[in-house]
């Protein structure tokens, strides 16, 4: 992939937001501040990356990184057969990103999944509700501080007293 | 005489219908909330998550080889494709290249499971539309392929065939002839199914022009695999981004025109024939040699014979599986996309340098393919829901993970 061309154009257009562009094993990774994700992705979409292959998030609690969460977008260009990874950093205090649902409809469900499992909210998303877990579920399971173990053995659960036939009568 | 009949539309009332989560035609725990006006669907809202099992969270606690068993449970119609996709991603992370024979065996197994998956999906679609014979023909051949899996891996469904850096075991003697028999049978069964369905008027009426996905919608909704190719998108990862030596084999990409349910059926049937063609070429070219990377690399478990019969093998085995030892990949991340029977199946693994992955993300083709369901269902009849669901081949295990 001709990286230098894309890099210069991106850095000219968005000098403040692009943190780093790197290439490793034919994988181009673009790291940027979360707030500008919609503009950058519209730019890349116009540039030929017509397919949002995957949208997911990583909790950097113990991994280390710029911010607490990384939202990872895998873009694909059908025409040029190229992939690019775009990483947007989101802080723990304000987990909010612009939604890219207006660019790709597939982002609708995928952003709902990230919201459900990581608790990252997406601005101007049409229907941001939980998708995998029930609506009344508490917590965000894929965060690193969400416990992996259950509540323990049978003895840890309260015994539910049920009415017997005699009580009812 | 020409009697004048004053036709007045009947007053209708909107009705909510729950389709699923346990309905014989959903083939899994899918639930669709349909708002109906008579028999016309005004709005269809899919509710997913009934099979959410936290596979991605589970992956953070299991080491790289243990997670292979979890990948089986995602797409349970073609488990080996999941195993291979995961192994490729883990190997990319650890910068391992598996021997040629292992790559060829993986490819052979993937294509066999593609045949089984497509036969089952076409059969399920047909049985939902009333063609029971097709289902039985397809199901019988799928049994034959599952017998092959049983010969090679020991299990029919939860194969867990790959390991990071190789395979669980080599192909047994006589496997090649068994595969050739099944391949010959597969061609015949495909002919029989096409004879039954291609010119079947009921089948055509139920499928032509139903559930049309346009090219633009397919790209916008992230549709991949047979559903995208039926819409006319020339995209097959086996050709465009070849993995596991697909570039060495000669086969065609099947592309549809209309993007409707009938085209998706035709694409699947032709892909079965192409897969048969690939399998024959793989068997012809199958190289001899090792199936695992060098044991000194510390990335592969020793052969079970060594573990049971020698103290060195046992020590080495424990070195690999004890919680504070074992393979530790470098820090980093890898995403590998493969062409599974349903579409782009990718694994995105992030490693923090410990023996368990930091994050394992599956890119499930079913989730993206299902997201368009609401759009193509609007304005159609209830009965079309069954045809469209069958043609998208949604697997709940992979959808919800």
């Amino acid at each position: 992939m001709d990286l230098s061309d894309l890099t210069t154009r991106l850095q000219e257009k968005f000098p403040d937001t692009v943190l780093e562009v790197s290439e490793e094993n034919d994988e181009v990774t673009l790291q940027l501040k979360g707030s500008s994700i919609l503009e950058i992705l519209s730019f890349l979409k116009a540039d030929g990356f017509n397919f949002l292959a995957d949208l997911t998030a990583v909790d950097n609690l113990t991994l280390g990184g710029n911010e607490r969460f990384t939202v990872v977008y895998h873009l694909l260009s059908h025409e040029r057969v190229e992939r690019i990874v775009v990483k947007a950093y989101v802080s723990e205090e304000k987990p909010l990103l612009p939604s890219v649902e207006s660019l790709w409809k597939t982002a609708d469900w995928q952003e709902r999944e990230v919201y459900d499992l990581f608790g990252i909210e997406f601005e101007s998303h049409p229907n941001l509700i939980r998708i995998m877990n029930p609506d009344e579920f508490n917590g965000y399971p894929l965060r690193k501080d969400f416990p992996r173990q259950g509540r323990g053995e049978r003895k840890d659960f309260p015994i539910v007293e049920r009415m017997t036939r005699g009580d009812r009568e | 005489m020409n009697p004048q009949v004053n036709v007045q539309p009947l007053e209708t009332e909107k009705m909510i219908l729950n389709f699923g989560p346990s309905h014989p035609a959903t083939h899994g725990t899918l639930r669709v909330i349909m708002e109906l006006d008579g028999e016309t669907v005004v709005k269809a809202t899919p509710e997913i998550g009934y099979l959410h099992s936290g596979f991605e969270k589970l992956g953070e606690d299991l080491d790289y080889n243990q997670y292979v068993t979890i990948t089986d449970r995602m797409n349970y119609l073609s488990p080996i494709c999941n195993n291979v996709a995961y192994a490729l991603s883990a190997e990319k992370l650890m910068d391992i290249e598996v021997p040629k024979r292992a790559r060829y065996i993986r490819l052979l197994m993937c294509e066999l499971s593609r045949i089984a998956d497509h036969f089952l999906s076409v059969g399920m679609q047909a049985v939902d539309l009333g063609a029971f014979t097709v289902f039985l023909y397809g199901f019988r051949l799928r049994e034959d392929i599952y017998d092959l899996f049983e010969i090679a891996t020991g299990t029919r469904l939860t194969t867990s065939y790959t390991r990071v850096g190789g395979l669980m075991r080599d192909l047994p003697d006589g496997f090649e002839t068994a595969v050739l028999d099944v391949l010959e049978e597969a061609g015949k069964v495909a002919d029989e199914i096409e004879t039954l369905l291609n010119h079947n008027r009921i089948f055509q009426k139920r499928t032509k022009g139903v559930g049309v996905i346009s090219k633009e919608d397919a790209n916008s909704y992230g549709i991949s695999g047979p559903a995208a190719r039926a819409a006319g998108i020339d995209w097959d990862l086996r050709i465009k981004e070849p993995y596991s030596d697909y570039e060495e084999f000669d086969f065609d990409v099947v592309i549809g025109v209309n993007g409707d349910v009938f085209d998706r059926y035709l694409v699947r049937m032709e892909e079965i024939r192409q897969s048969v063609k690939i399998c024959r070429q793989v068997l012809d070219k199958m190289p001899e040699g090792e199936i695992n990377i060098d044991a000194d690399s510390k990335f592969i478990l020793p052969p079970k014979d060594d573990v049971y019969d020698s103290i060195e093998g046992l020590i080495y085995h424990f070195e690999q599986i004890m919680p504070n030892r074992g393979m530790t990949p470098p820090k980093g991340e890898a995403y590998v996309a493969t062409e599974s029977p349903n579409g782009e199946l990718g694994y995105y693994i992030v490693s923090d340098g410990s023996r368990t992955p930091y994050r394992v993300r599956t890119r499930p083709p079913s989730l993206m393919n299902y997201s368009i369901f609401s759009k193509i269902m609007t304005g159609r009849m209830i009965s079309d829901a069954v045809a469209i669901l069958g043609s998208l081949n949604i697997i709940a295990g992979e959808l919800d993970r």
Side-chain angles (χ1 to χ4, degrees):
Chain A
M1 176 176 177
D2 190 14
L3 180 66
S4 53
D5 180 39
L6 182 71
T7 317
T8 37
R9 269 187 298 148
L10 268 171
Q11 269 157 354
E12 264 171 32
K13 200 135 190 269
F14 309 99
D16 306 330
T17 50
V18 178
L19 298 173
E20 195 188 329
V21 187
S22 56
E23 188 173 10
E24 206 179 331
N25 311 330
D26 302 333
E27 260 189 8
V28 180
T29 308
L30 194 67
Q31 310 200 22
L32 41 97
K33 288 180 194 160
S35 52
S36 59
I37 187 72
L38 188 61
E39 290 95 63
I40 300 254
L41 288 193
S42 338
F43 174 79
L44 287 172
K45 192 185 178 190
D47 198 55
F49 289 97
N50 61 331
F51 195 81
L52 177 64
D54 192 19
L55 192 167
T56 186
V58 179
D59 181 359
N60 296 325
L61 186 65
T62 55
L63 188 71
N66 294 347
E67 295 276 4
R68 169 80 190 264
F69 299 109
T70 319
V71 178
V72 187
Y73 301 79
H74 286 96
L75 301 187
L76 167 65
S77 161
H78 277 159
E79 203 178 305
R80 299 200 301 266
V81 196
E82 282 170 359
R83 280 178 194 272
I84 187 167
V85 186
V86 180
K87 292 180 171 179
Y89 289 98
V90 190
S91 71
E92 187 180 359
E93 298 78 38
K94 199 179 161 219
L96 185 73
L97 266 185
S99 166
V100 297
E101 196 263 351
S102 51
L103 298 176
W104 292 282
K105 293 272 183 245
T106 177
D108 181 354
W109 280 22
Q110 300 194 53
E111 283 175 354
R112 271 176 72 189
E113 195 186 326
V114 170
Y115 165 70
D116 185 0
L117 302 176
F118 286 93
I120 299 169
E121 288 181 25
F122 292 89
E123 217 170 0
S124 66
H125 185 283
N127 182 27
L128 197 66
I129 52 171
R130 285 186 183 268
I131 187 166
M132 297 293 174
N133 293 307
D135 289 343
E136 59 273 18
F137 190 82
N138 253 333
Y140 302 107
L142 278 183
R143 285 192 179 186
K144 282 285 171 182
D145 46 12
F146 190 88
R148 265 175 298 190
Q149 282 174 342
R151 284 162 62 194
E153 302 291 327
R154 177 71 190 87
K155 62 180 178 354
D156 300 323
F157 288 84
I159 294 170
V160 181
E161 298 283 351
R162 288 199 178 79
M163 278 201 302
T164 58
R165 190 177 290 262
D167 294 337
R168 250 196 314 248
E169 281 164 3
Chain B
M1 281 226 321
N2 193 8
Q4 290 281 314
V5 183
N6 200 4
V7 181
Q8 285 195 335
L10 283 173
E11 277 208 11
T12 54
E13 208 175 290
K14 293 261 170 69
M15 182 184 136
I16 305 283
L17 179 80
N18 245 324
F19 187 78
S22 58
H23 184 280
T26 57
H27 303 296
T29 47
L30 306 175
R31 179 187 178 204
V32 187
I33 303 160
M34 289 183 184
E35 207 178 310
L36 301 176
D37 182 4
E39 250 192 290
T40 314
V41 178
V42 181
K43 194 180 171 200
T45 319
E47 270 271 323
I48 71 171
Y50 284 88
L51 219 59
H52 181 57
S53 349
F55 284 159
E56 289 177 5
K57 187 80 177 171
L58 209 51
E60 294 168 11
D61 225 11
L62 299 174
D63 76 25
Y64 284 88
N65 275 327
Q66 285 171 329
Y67 194 66
V68 174
T69 56
I70 306 289
T71 63
D72 294 334
R73 275 83 178 162
M74 290 188 191
N75 187 341
Y76 34 75
L77 295 190
S78 48
I80 291 193
C81 288
N82 292 36
N83 294 164
V84 170
Y86 172 72
L88 286 172
S89 185
E91 281 154 11
K92 184 178 176 189
L93 179 71
M94 301 176 197
D95 204 11
I96 295 173
E97 194 181 346
V98 294
K100 201 173 177 71
R101 184 174 169 83
R103 294 204 295 271
Y104 272 51
I105 294 176
R106 283 177 179 184
L107 197 152
L108 173 70
M109 290 300 196
C110 275
E111 289 308 313
L112 282 175
S113 59
R114 189 185 312 276
I115 298 172
D117 190 303
H118 282 356
F119 266 127
L120 188 77
S121 130
V122 167
M124 283 298 179
Q125 189 186 346
V127 77
D128 290 344
L129 299 179
F132 199 66
T133 321
V134 174
F135 167 69
L136 292 179
Y137 281 176
F139 218 78
R140 191 183 57 78
L141 193 98
R142 174 178 175 260
E143 271 314 299
D144 290 349
I145 293 176
Y146 274 26
D147 284 345
L148 291 178
F149 290 163
E150 191 172 2
I151 297 171
T153 72
T155 41
R156 286 156 34 85
L157 205 68
T158 50
T159 48
S160 304
Y161 192 45
T162 59
R163 295 286 180 271
V164 178
L167 296 170
M168 182 179 75
R169 64 175 181 220
D170 205 344
L171 295 178
D173 293 339
F175 189 72
E176 189 176 322
T177 34
V179 174
L180 282 173
D181 288 348
V182 173
L183 290 181
E184 188 151 323
E185 193 69 12
K188 284 184 202 160
V189 174
D191 285 345
E192 277 171 343
I193 290 180
E194 293 210 277
T195 321
L196 282 168
L197 290 183
N198 277 12
H199 300 288
N200 184 325
R201 205 159 151 197
I202 302 171
F203 188 72
Q204 289 200 359
K205 285 250 174 193
R206 292 288 304 272
T207 56
K208 276 196 172 171
V210 174
V212 179
I213 300 177
S214 69
K215 249 185 185 179
E216 293 74 37
D217 276 352
N219 279 336
S220 172
Y221 279 87
I223 312 281
S224 51
R229 287 193 284 276
I233 296 171
D234 178 12
W235 184 258
D236 189 323
L237 287 167
R238 292 177 292 171
I239 296 227
K240 300 285 182 180
E241 293 178 344
Y243 54 91
S244 203
D245 287 349
Y246 265 110
E247 67 273 20
E248 293 175 18
F249 302 99
D250 171 40
F251 63 99
D252 298 325
V253 179
V254 190
I255 296 169
V257 182
N258 303 319
D260 55 5
V261 175
F262 191 68
D263 272 23
R264 292 201 271 282
Y265 151 74
L266 286 180
V267 166
R268 285 217 166 82
M269 289 315 288
E270 189 53 37
E271 277 190 9
I272 290 174
R273 293 175 203 283
Q274 295 299 328
S275 291
V276 169
K277 200 168 138 190
I278 299 173
C279 286
R280 286 187 198 281
Q281 293 175 45
V282 180
L283 287 176
D284 275 349
K285 292 189 188 171
M286 182 69 80
E288 293 296 317
E290 289 292 314
I291 54 155
N292 283 332
I293 51 165
D294 197 7
D296 295 335
S297 63
K298 303 268 181 201
F299 275 114
I300 194 87
L301 290 172
K304 280 285 174 286
D305 291 347
D306 285 4
V307 178
Y308 295 141
D309 295 347
S310 72
I311 185 72
E312 289 83 12
L314 192 64
I315 292 170
Y316 182 56
H317 180 77
F318 275 118
E319 283 279 321
Q320 286 294 307
I321 62 164
M322 269 158 60
N324 53 351
R325 312 279 172 90
M327 59 168 91
T328 46
K331 256 186 156 185
E333 56 179 59
Y335 177 79
V336 175
T338 63
E339 187 72 34
S340 87
N342 269 346
E344 177 175 334
L345 172 73
Y347 278 90
Y348 175 63
I349 305 180
V350 181
S351 155
D352 60 348
S354 69
R355 63 191 291 278
T356 56
Y358 188 77
R359 167 110 171 88
V360 209
R361 152 80 175 171
T362 316
R363 191 267 185 209
S366 287
L367 181 79
M368 288 65 174
N369 291 0
Y370 195 32
S371 62
I372 202 171
F373 181 76
S374 171
K375 180 175 170 132
I376 56 182
M377 219 25 241
T378 310
R380 309 287 325 181
M381 297 286 175
I382 307 177
S383 55
D384 291 340
V386 176
I388 294 172
L389 265 182
S391 74
L392 291 176
N393 193 20
I394 308 300
I395 312 296
E398 179 183 73
L399 177 73
D400 298 342
R401 285 156 290 127

